[in-house]
Amino acid sequence: MKTFQLDIVTPTKVISEGQVEYLRAPSTDGLFGVEAGHAPAVIALGIGEIKVMRGTEIIYYSTSGGYADIRQEEVMILAETIEQAKEIDVTRAEQAIQTAKDLLGKDQLDHIPVKNAMERAKNRIQVSRRTELN
Amino acid sequence: MANLKEIRDRIKSIKSIQQVTKAMKMVAAAKLRRAQQSMEQARPYTHHLNGLITSLLPEVDRSDLDLLEIREVKRVAYVVITSDRGLAGSFNTNIIKKAQNEIDVIGKDKVDLFCIGKKGRDHFRKREYNIAEQHIEFWNDLDFCHASNIGSGIIGQFLTGRVDEIRVVYNYFKSIASQEIKTATLLPLLYDENNTKRIDRIYEPSKTELVKSLIPKHLNVQIWQFLLESYASEMAARMVSMDSATNNADDLIKDLKLEFNKARQASITKEMLEIVGGAEALS
């Protein structure tokens, strides 16, 4: 199978995945997949899970949004945060959900950022379960 | 000639000052290493995001987005990045001087200030400049959320039309030995309008939507980079100035020791002369 170069760049680190076969990422309205030879594109990413297939290896990441820059031979993901499934701190995510729930109880607050925070935390927990499957 | 006790006390006090400067140098060196590392880690992201936005900007109409608007410049916002603490050589003085010069050219009453760091805030508050926002005492736990906080304040000022241009004065980290003070224009975003090299590609969602979400992120990331550069520069400046302070203390101690020995010798000679004189008088 044909491969393409994948790099994930965040403000704190650069993860160079090397040559991969397949990438699945969450756009703002649904998942999309990339294989070698994809048409050039710029796609905004939403909160969700990134799946990377390299040889027999499957790697999962959680992301809170960013951009995918798809070019001829390479794909670059620019994300603000990215965590590999096995690195996710589930306790911290659960705490974040709890704080968000508490905040939602008070109605004088702006709910949108709180809901976003909750969604991000839920996504992290969901992605962290991926390690148990493998 | 100063008396022996005075010189001894001075040597002692200089030695204890030297210990402090030495410790500060060590701390600054350790912090510098960390700051430099996170600065270098952030560079690729800033670089690529910048590349992405500059390739997208020529494809959208300026009139579609509020943040792309170019207005006649009536009011300017200045973001001045200084440190919270002193003892960093001319780090703060230089940046304040440069910022003040630029502001005075425009006119004090036409400028809103965003003071990052206590030193700049104190300076401009004393001279009664318009301080719109201040962000102080966060350098020790510098985080991306500080940058986005500052960013959203600045963007707000631009969107409400209070200011028409936003400039940042900061220390650019060239190397440990040298930092350069730079002024950058954050908004409005300028780019080469004649760049007609269009790439045929898919956009999801639309170009305008992409640029709309990219600009605030781009600004935040830029501010983040400025903060990191400035923090690393501060540490480098402190390290260098504390190093020279330690060396100066060494020189001072050397001179004082020479003086001390001279005084000691003189007093011994004097005593011996007295003894000899006394013995001669007896015989």
Side-chain angles (χ1 to χ4, degrees):
Chain A
M1 205 175 164
K2 270 192 165 175
T3 58
F4 61 93
Q5 173 72 27
L6 175 66
D7 294 301
I8 302 173
V9 184
T10 77
T12 51
K13 61 188 166 197
V14 178
I15 307 169
S16 195
E17 291 287 350
Q19 294 292 319
V20 304
E21 273 97 36
Y22 179 72
L23 159 77
R24 195 190 67 198
S27 82
T28 39
D29 36 37
L31 295 170
F32 68 93
V34 180
E35 283 182 358
H38 194 287
V42 179
I43 300 170
L45 303 180
I47 298 168
E49 175 191 84
I50 292 173
K51 179 184 179 185
V52 177
M53 284 166 78
R54 185 177 53 203
T56 52
E57 206 182 349
I58 301 176
I59 311 148
Y60 292 98
Y61 294 98
S62 78
T63 180
S64 60
Y67 302 90
D69 188 0
I70 301 166
R71 274 170 278 172
Q72 212 66 55
E73 297 286 318
E74 56 179 334
V75 174
M76 190 164 55
I77 291 180
L78 289 167
E80 261 171 37
T81 57
I82 196 122
E83 276 175 296
Q84 212 183 322
K86 59 183 178 208
E87 288 169 355
I88 293 172
D89 186 345
V90 180
T91 3
R92 204 168 67 96
E94 272 162 0
Q95 265 167 13
I97 291 182
Q98 198 50 51
T99 343
K101 271 184 185 159
D102 292 347
L103 283 173
L104 284 177
K106 299 169 190 157
D107 44 21
Q108 69 271 42
L109 270 162
D110 183 6
H111 279 182
I112 298 161
V114 183
K115 276 184 181 153
N116 276 338
M118 185 131 106
E119 213 178 310
R120 283 200 298 271
K122 276 184 176 162
N123 171 54
R124 292 172 67 221
I125 290 177
Q126 217 165 18
V127 176
S128 75
R129 296 221 177 94
R130 287 292 193 182
T131 44
E132 291 155 27
L133 297 173
N134 292 340
Chain B
M1 197 162 274
N3 76 51
L4 285 173
K5 191 177 174 302
E6 253 172 44
I7 300 175
R8 205 183 293 131
D9 285 349
R10 275 198 71 192
I11 291 177
K12 224 162 112 189
S13 81
I14 290 169
K15 267 191 180 152
S16 66
I17 291 170
Q18 192 187 27
Q19 255 166 10
V20 174
T21 58
K22 216 182 218 165
M24 281 185 78
K25 180 190 142 194
M26 303 288 221
V27 172
K31 281 189 179 165
L32 171 67
R33 207 169 310 129
R34 242 181 306 147
Q36 217 179 336
Q37 202 185 356
S38 52
M39 185 186 75
E40 272 153 19
Q41 278 167 342
R43 270 183 181 163
Y45 184 75
T46 327
H47 176 76
H48 290 305
L49 202 66
N50 201 12
L52 188 60
I53 200 160
T54 40
S55 77
L56 272 167
L57 276 177
E59 312 231 347
V60 296
D61 230 342
R62 265 193 194 272
S63 55
D64 283 351
L65 287 167
D66 293 343
L67 274 171
L68 283 177
E69 208 181 334
I70 295 180
R71 300 185 288 244
E72 192 197 337
V73 179
K74 292 194 199 99
R75 245 189 124 72
V76 183
Y78 259 90
V79 183
V80 184
I81 307 177
T82 56
S83 69
D84 279 338
R85 281 192 246 163
L87 289 179
S90 54
F91 178 84
N92 288 313
T93 8
N94 283 348
I95 202 146
I96 289 172
K97 214 186 286 166
K98 163 121 179 174
Q100 196 170 350
N101 280 343
E102 287 191 17
I103 292 166
D104 288 345
V105 168
I106 301 166
K108 190 171 158 179
D109 46 335
K110 284 187 197 147
V111 173
D112 282 323
L113 269 168
F114 286 74
C115 291
I116 321 293
K118 224 177 185 171
K119 287 283 161 189
R121 198 262 329 245
D122 291 349
H123 177 92
F124 288 112
R125 191 170 60 180
K126 210 157 80 194
R127 283 159 189 78
E128 292 179 335
Y129 282 73
N130 303 319
I131 297 179
E133 266 184 45
Q134 46 175 306
H135 299 266
I136 54 167
E137 286 174 347
F138 64 86
W139 288 111
N140 277 333
D141 37 23
L142 184 61
D143 190 67
F144 189 73
C145 71
H146 297 116
S148 28
N149 251 341
I150 296 164
S152 59
I154 294 169
I155 293 169
Q157 293 261 327
F158 186 81
L159 284 179
T160 53
R162 183 167 166 78
V163 296
D164 310 300
E165 192 172 308
I166 293 162
R167 290 189 198 151
V168 185
V169 191
Y170 70 105
N171 272 282
Y172 173 73
F173 186 89
K174 242 174 156 176
S175 71
I176 293 173
S178 88
Q179 295 86 39
E180 194 186 325
I181 296 171
K182 279 195 172 180
T183 311
T185 306
L186 263 188
L187 278 173
L189 285 171
L190 299 171
Y191 53 86
D192 186 8
E193 312 245 1
N194 302 322
N195 185 3
T196 46
K197 207 186 96 206
R198 297 273 148 90
I199 319 163
D200 186 24
R201 42 181 185 186
I202 305 164
Y203 296 98
E204 202 185 305
S206 67
K207 280 177 213 169
T208 323
E209 282 295 317
L210 272 173
V211 173
K212 200 174 169 183
S213 73
L214 256 168
I215 292 173
K217 272 196 190 135
H218 170 70
L219 294 177
N220 288 348
V221 165
Q222 287 245 285
I223 293 166
W224 174 232
Q225 189 70 38
F226 293 151
L227 291 181
L228 289 174
E229 298 266 357
S230 180
Y231 188 60
S233 302
E234 180 197 341
M235 289 307 150
R238 180 162 298 132
M239 195 181 88
V240 170
S241 71
M242 285 302 114
D243 186 50
S244 65
T246 312
N247 290 340
N248 287 345
D250 260 337
D251 290 347
L252 220 65
I253 289 169
K254 220 164 101 193
D255 288 351
L256 281 172
K257 269 195 177 147
L258 192 70
E259 205 181 313
F260 176 80
N261 282 334
K262 269 186 191 159
R264 192 175 55 93
Q265 247 169 4
S267 80
I268 291 170
T269 316
K270 208 176 95 197
E271 272 172 38
M272 268 171 57
L273 281 174
E274 275 165 13
I275 293 168
V276 172
E280 260 171 16
L282 282 177
S283 60

